[in-house]
Amino acid sequence: MNKPRLIVNNSKNELKEENFFFNKNELKTILNLYAKMVSEGSWKDYGFNISKKNVSFNIFKRSSENAIFNICKNFKTKNDNLRYYVSDAQGNILSMSKNLETLIDKVKWNKYKIVN
């Protein structure tokens, strides 16, 4: 009579570590844009919003107010064009793209002036 054996298949290839943040090049691109807009006096503060579905870089005119723009990266997207998008304070999507650099170049940041 054979003894039952427990076989556990825990290969490292099956365990896929998911990265729930911007990578180094994406963050560099966003922070370069942020530095440019801060030097113009348009933006004052930033913050991050991180969840399992997406991560967003939130841009503030004043730190005591709500974010005026959100640069978001979707992790679990059905449409490839919604990988990166920019939304305003009301949640309206201003622009979307597969590539972050083309998204940032496509949006006319000076066109969107903040009115008090």
Side-chain angles (χ1 to χ4, degrees), residues 6-7 39 103:
L6 177 64
I7 299 173
S39 67
L103 174 73

Side-chain angles (χ1 to χ4, degrees), residues 18-22 48-58 70-77 82-87 93:
E18 295 191 31
N19 188 6
F20 293 113
F21 201 70
F22 294 109
F48 291 101
N49 188 10
I50 305 168
S51 70
K52 288 186 177 182
K53 293 182 180 180
N54 64 8
V55 62
S56 65
F57 183 87
N58 304 326
N70 301 321
I71 301 173
C72 300
K73 175 184 179 180
N74 277 337
F75 300 117
K76 300 175 181 176
T77 178
L82 279 175
R83 180 73 174 167
Y84 301 99
Y85 64 92
V86 176
S87 63
I93 295 177

Side-chain angles (χ1 to χ4, degrees), residues 53-68:
K53 293 182 180 180
N54 64 8
V55 62
S56 65
F57 183 87
N58 304 326
I59 302 157
F60 298 90
K61 177 68 176 169
R62 293 181 190 84
S63 59
S64 62
E65 296 177 356
N66 292 332
I68 54 173

